[in-house]
Amino acid sequence: MANVIVIGAQWGDEGKGKITDLLSKSADVVVRYQGGVNAGHTVVVNDQTFKLHLIPSGILYPDTECIIGSGTAIDPEILIEELDRLEALSVSTNNLLISQTAHVTMPYHRIIDKASEERRGSQKIGTTGRGIGPTYADKSERIGIRVQDLMDKEEARDRLSWTINYKNSILEKLYNKPPLEPETVIKQYLEYAERLRPHVVDSSLKIYEAIDKKRNILFEGAQGTLLDLDHGTYPYVTSSNPVAGGACVGAGVGPTTIDRVIGVAKAYTTRVGEGPFPTEIEGGVGDILGDRGAEFGTTTGRKRRCGWFDATIGRYAVRINGLDCLAITKLDVLDELDEIKVCVAYDIDGQRCEHFPSSPRQFARCRPIYETLPGWRQSTEDCRSLKDLPKQALDYLKFLAELMEVPIAIVSLGASRDQTIIIEDPIHGPKRALLYTNGTPAGHGA
């Protein structure tokens, strides 16, 4: 048995969907523990593309139980659309379970999200406008609507009538937006509740029972470490905790139940939305990375900003999450480059800094200190083992592992499941050195 957390080690969009899908083959249960429809996972199976927003990637395996945990923000309308799309593609959703204590994204959340972002002007943070921030804000204010509230019609009417009228006053007076019709919203959400009712459970109890039966559990997060509400590049962050510690809170399990934490990082770096990005490349190589990597958001379609690999934020992700292995994705995107740069530290006002600064003002002044490695100038898309890789590509991976002091378990070389080098299965494989540098283990030993 192994209980494994998969997290993003950068600003999200690292390819967690594919890695989670791969690991789900060895998992009995996959748990989504935070975030909402502001996240998107793309999985390619046999030339068929699946775009998932709320449903865990493990749904593509018929025997895998998938749980949307209490730490998520559920938009019923989008979730039902996702269920319909999967079922139209002959993917069974019978094994999907939804936490009764997860909070629900309502129409007023989306309206307030967009209106608030508009008001920020030059101070905008790049929200997706999907209502996730306002959903979590209501959760903290203790006026949120939870899934279990919708399961009782009388309770739903009482809570929604008051809440919608309260939100209408905010929409009208603060944002100059037309009010919502309470009865229309209530009727719509009660219909959603009936569609979702067969899937609603006490998720924490279900996960506890799976742990007790020594089943393999995979905890899947959304976004990435640098978008964490507490530990990311605040204020340009999401509204929940994507870091490994958030898995315990969002799923409802204790930290002693976790066996391993795997971080997913691209072979370069991308970021969506606003905020500092020290290794960003504007034009030239940045455009090449964007085009070859198809760097457009699954959820919003927004073009991602591209830059060189940043080992400084990588080391920070290792520390914050307690990573014990890595999955490096999109190595193939670098195939055509003559040389590849890696940020090994920052220059802040003339001082070398090897650690991610917590001050937003300091981070905005960071200038990357690079080391340059030779490119390999040949395709890696058909490589299926480390020995198939060009020497320069293998050296690049070893360099990243050495910089972050964590071994590499998986290397992804394309969108399809089979375009992967699995050095070790983090669920079934033993803890051992996975990639060597100069004959010594790169990262944790066996």
Side-chain angles (χ1 to χ4, degrees):
M1 179 199 76
N3 299 327
V4 177
I5 300 173
V6 179
I7 63 95
Q10 295 164 320
W11 274 287
D13 307 311
E14 300 96 347
K16 295 183 298 298
K18 174 182 175 176
I19 301 304
T20 303
D21 172 68
L22 283 169
L23 297 180
S24 295
K25 184 178 181 181
S26 302
D28 301 303
V29 182
V30 180
V31 182
R32 167 74 180 274
Y33 62 85
Q34 53 76 226
V37 295
N38 55 340
H41 288 166
T42 301
V43 180
V44 180
V45 183
N46 298 326
D47 297 324
Q48 191 169 31
T49 300
F50 298 87
K51 294 183 181 295
L52 304 171
H53 298 278
L54 276 169
I55 298 177
S57 305
I59 199 70
L60 301 179
Y61 292 96
D63 296 326
T64 301
E65 192 170 71
C66 293
I67 299 175
I68 300 177
S70 60
T72 56
I74 293 177
D75 187 322
E77 180 179 1
I78 302 301
L79 178 55
I80 290 169
E81 288 177 2
E82 202 165 315
L83 286 167
D84 290 342
R85 282 198 302 271
L86 287 170
E87 289 165 4
L89 294 169
S90 300
V91 176
S92 173
T93 59
N94 292 336
N95 284 341
L96 177 68
L97 303 176
I98 301 168
S99 172
Q100 61 189 9
T101 55
H103 279 251
V104 178
T105 297
M106 302 295 297
Y108 48 76
H109 290 136
R110 292 190 291 270
I111 298 170
I112 290 172
D113 196 1
K114 292 175 182 177
S116 175
E117 183 75 346
E118 288 173 4
R119 281 207 166 193
R120 287 176 180 269
S122 62
Q123 300 297 314
K124 65 180 180 177
I125 59 175
T127 174
T128 61
R130 301 303 176 95
I132 309 306
T135 303
Y136 281 114
D138 278 5
K139 178 179 180 178
S140 296
E141 198 177 345
R142 290 159 292 183
I143 58 170
I145 303 297
R146 301 197 291 182
V147 170
Q148 64 186 7
D149 296 328
L150 299 180
M151 296 299 112
D152 183 319
K153 291 184 179 181
E154 289 188 12
E155 176 75 11
R157 282 192 173 276
D158 286 345
R159 289 184 62 84
L160 283 174
S161 294
W162 181 89
T163 306
I164 294 169
N165 285 321
Y166 171 68
K167 293 295 181 179
N168 276 343
S169 65
I170 294 174
L171 291 174
E172 292 180 282
K173 296 176 182 178
L174 183 59
Y175 295 111
N176 196 30
K177 299 291 183 182
L180 295 167
E181 170 52 49
E183 185 56 36
T184 301
V185 175
I186 291 170
K187 181 181 178 182
Q188 182 182 43
Y189 274 72
L190 287 178
E191 289 174 358
Y192 292 155
E194 290 309 307
R195 172 67 190 279
L196 298 177
R197 187 181 297 277
H199 300 279
V200 177
V201 298
D202 181 339
S203 60
S204 179
L205 178 59
K206 284 287 184 180
I207 297 167
Y208 174 80
E209 291 172 345
I211 293 170
D212 190 53
K213 293 175 182 176
K214 300 190 183 303
R215 303 176 76 191
N216 294 320
I217 305 174
L218 193 63
F219 297 89
E220 172 190 22
Q223 289 92 33
T225 300
L226 275 295
L227 291 179
D228 187 89
L229 181 60
D230 292 295
H231 303 289
T233 50
Y234 192 89
Y236 305 102
V237 294
T238 192
S239 306
S240 57
N241 294 107
V243 295
C248 295
V249 177
V253 300
T256 55
T257 63
I258 304 301
D259 299 298
R260 304 196 71 178
V261 184
I262 178 170
V264 185
K266 280 177 183 166
Y268 49 103
T269 309
T270 62
R271 180 168 194 175
V272 172
E274 307 299 320
F277 183 2
T279 66
E280 183 173 11
I281 311 167
E282 296 185 7
V285 173
D287 290 339
I288 293 173
L289 296 176
D291 292 341
R292 284 184 53 81
E295 296 298 351
F296 296 91
T298 303
T299 298
T300 63
R302 288 185 297 180
K303 186 176 181 179
R304 297 171 185 145
R305 300 154 65 188
C306 297
W308 298 115
F309 190 91
D310 190 332
T312 309
I313 65 171
R315 289 191 294 269
Y316 178 71
V318 171
R319 171 163 61 90
I320 290 295
N321 296 288
L323 300 183
D324 61 1
C325 60
L326 289 167
I328 299 296
T329 63
K330 294 196 174 184
L331 183 69
D332 57 297
V333 173
L334 305 179
D335 285 351
E336 296 181 357
L337 301 182
D338 292 317
E339 61 179 29
I340 301 165
K341 294 182 179 181
V342 176
C343 173
V344 297
Y346 296 140
D347 179 299
I348 304 178
D349 301 330
Q351 298 293 316
R352 182 184 176 97
C353 177
E354 297 188 357
H355 301 286
F356 171 73
S358 59
S359 164
R361 290 183 179 274
Q362 271 198 325
F363 187 59
R365 299 200 303 274
C366 285
R367 298 295 176 263
I369 297 173
Y370 288 120
E371 288 196 26
T372 303
L373 284 74
W376 42 93
R377 296 289 297 172
Q378 65 185 91
S379 175
T380 59
E381 292 180 359
D382 296 325
C383 296
R384 297 296 178 266
S385 68
L386 292 180
K387 63 181 178 60
D388 296 334
L389 290 172
K391 179 181 181 300
Q392 294 89 340
L394 186 58
D395 288 344
Y396 181 71
L397 291 173
K398 289 178 179 178
F399 186 64
L400 299 187
E402 186 176 53
L403 279 173
M404 293 190 289
E405 299 182 343
V406 173
I408 294 172
I410 297 171
V411 180
S412 175
L413 304 146
S416 298
R417 278 179 179 169
D418 64 328
Q419 291 180 297
T420 312
I421 298 172
I422 300 178
I423 308 165
E424 176 204 354
D425 183 334
I427 293 180
H428 284 316
K431 287 188 180 181
R432 57 184 174 84
L434 305 175
L435 198 60
Y436 288 80
T437 304
N438 300 324
T440 58
H444 299 287

